[in-house]
Amino acid sequence: MNVWLVCGAAIAAQFALCLIAALRGSPFERLLGLELGSTIVSLSFLVLAEGYDRSIYFDLALAYTGASFVANLVFVRFLERWV
Amino acid sequence: MTPKGVLIGALLAGGSLVELGCCIGLLAAPTLEDRLHFLTPASSLGAVLIASAIVTKESLDHQGIVAVVVAVFLMMFNPVISHATARAARIRRTGDWRAGPREGVRRT
Amino acid sequence: MALWVLFTSTVNGSEAIGGIGASSVAATLAELTRRHAAIGFRPRLRWFLRAWRIPVQIVADTAVVFGALARHLSGRKRMRGSLRAVPFHHGRTGDPRARARRALAVLGVSVPPNSFVLGIDEDRDEMLVHQLVDDERSIPRLLGRA
């Protein structure tokens, strides 16, 4: 156990709060839970990668950040017009 | 505990607290637009603090560069999502993103 | 190619071949997109000189936003955002320079936590901004007018 794993676990635990936000309110309000959750997950990937000392997990964080940005924009577009 | 270790701990603690504050703000804020303001600190200040901790530990090797790229990406593109979400929500609600005549818009 | 070398942190033949291939594909796709989508984007270099204000405003606005949250949670003052219209010349719709100016202005004002842009009205030449805590001076400062 090191400070990185403790911090990574703490940040990952905050995802539960984002999940609560994603489970209540209008579709747009739920989308905010998803958007903040994406940021939380990206940062927890970075910190946990450092904690486990695996450089491949850093690439996972980078790929996830890009993919989640695109996914969030797709959700926004669909909620604006079609869903 | 070396000074470098203390700095890393402080940066990680600061980043985690910023993220926690954003999560609490997201749940506590009354309206959608007010909640949107709590997405940006997470992707700007929070991400920069955490990336700084990684760069302090790793300097600018592969891990450090990836951390910097992730932080810059989050800082630049998450506000775009906030802008798009707010605009889309207003269009969905009122048909137009522009302020209606009854909305009190302050002017600079 | 430079990013590939940075990410892999190695300079050897096989990585270089992979990097050349990947960067060739990316450059080809970017050029095809630029030509077919007709997305013009021509910013002026001096617009980026104002970017130093953004990190300062991020730190200040984070304190403002969390202060508003603390007051809301303690019951002292309920959180209530507001809309603000700031004069901003829209420019011609298809002009790449005007398009770049609008995009950078939207990004620059939306990055600090206390404000985000809803849009730039072409008819009224004004930028509609939502602020969590009303601040008349921060947006003109970010736009380089203060």
Side-chain angles (χ1 to χ4, degrees):
Chain A
M1 185 65 73
N2 56 48
V3 66
W4 297 95
L5 290 178
V6 171
C7 179
I11 294 175
Q14 291 162 21
F15 187 75
L17 298 176
C18 299
L19 190 61
I20 292 170
L23 289 173
R24 53 177 215 170
S26 68
F28 272 104
E29 287 168 351
R30 294 171 188 238
L31 181 63
L32 297 191
L34 175 67
E35 290 173 1
L36 184 59
S38 303
T39 305
I40 297 278
V41 166
S42 294
L43 295 176
S44 66
F45 274 160
L46 277 183
V47 178
L48 290 171
E50 184 61 45
Y52 287 114
D53 199 20
R54 295 277 189 273
S55 65
I56 189 73
Y57 295 163
F58 282 90
D59 300 327
L60 174 65
L62 184 62
Y64 177 81
T65 304
S68 67
F69 169 70
V70 174
N72 288 335
L73 278 182
V74 169
F75 274 117
V76 168
R77 201 64 164 162
F78 269 81
L79 281 174
E80 178 187 335
R81 293 186 181 194
W82 296 296
V83 175
Chain B
M1 199 87 173
T2 62
K4 187 174 172 182
V6 171
L7 177 62
I8 288 171
L11 288 168
L12 286 175
S16 302
L17 286 172
V18 169
E19 302 300 323
L20 180 63
C22 292
C23 291
I24 293 170
L26 186 70
L27 291 171
T31 67
L32 174 78
E33 284 84 2
D34 295 339
R35 290 177 194 184
L36 274 165
H37 290 281
F38 291 96
L39 299 189
T40 332
S43 60
S44 54
L45 188 60
V48 165
L49 288 172
I50 287 170
S52 300
I54 294 173
V55 171
T56 304
K57 171 107 190 304
E58 300 285 345
S59 73
L60 286 174
D61 63 358
H62 170 73
Q63 288 92 317
I65 289 167
V66 169
V68 168
V69 171
V70 168
V72 169
F73 192 96
L74 285 172
M75 188 159 64
M76 285 189 57
F77 291 112
N78 269 28
V80 173
I81 293 177
S82 296
H83 160 71
T85 304
R87 195 177 162 104
R90 282 181 71 88
I91 290 171
R92 184 70 184 248
R93 196 164 59 223
T94 64
D96 192 0
W97 62 266
R98 293 173 186 80
R102 290 185 201 159
E103 288 184 273
V105 177
R106 297 166 207 225
R107 291 197 139 73
T108 302
Chain C
M1 183 67 192
L3 273 178
W4 184 278
V5 172
L6 273 175
F7 282 142
T8 56
S9 304
T10 56
V11 185
N12 65 43
S14 55
E15 290 290 351
I17 291 169
I20 289 168
S23 53
S24 303
V25 169
T28 305
L29 287 173
E31 182 60 22
L32 285 173
T33 306
R34 190 188 69 81
R35 286 189 189 184
H36 286 275
I39 300 172
F41 187 81
R42 281 177 41 211
R44 287 188 196 276
L45 189 60
R46 61 182 166 89
W47 295 343
F48 294 96
L49 297 177
R50 296 173 198 157
W52 68 268
R53 297 170 202 260
I54 294 175
V56 176
Q57 197 67 42
I58 287 172
V59 176
D61 275 8
T62 303
V64 165
V65 160
F66 283 156
L69 176 64
R71 287 190 296 275
H72 179 82
L73 291 174
S74 66
R76 277 193 291 152
K77 187 178 178 185
R78 185 178 159 80
M79 201 187 300
R80 200 171 166 198
S82 59
L83 292 173
R84 180 168 284 281
V86 179
F88 189 90
H89 180 56
H90 185 277
R92 283 188 299 119
T93 303
D95 179 26
R97 187 91 61 195
R99 188 180 283 145
R101 188 167 161 270
R102 290 195 300 272
L104 291 173
V106 168
L107 184 64
V109 172
S110 299
V111 170
N114 191 38
S115 57
F116 58 80
V117 177
L118 286 163
I120 298 174
D121 194 331
E122 187 174 4
D123 301 326
R124 293 183 172 178
D125 270 345
E126 60 186 20
M127 175 189 283
L128 188 62
V129 178
H130 188 276
Q131 290 184 307
L132 188 66
V133 175
D134 185 45
D135 183 352
E136 193 177 7
R137 288 180 292 183
S138 66
I139 296 164
R141 201 182 302 138
L142 285 167
L143 294 174
R145 292 174 195 169

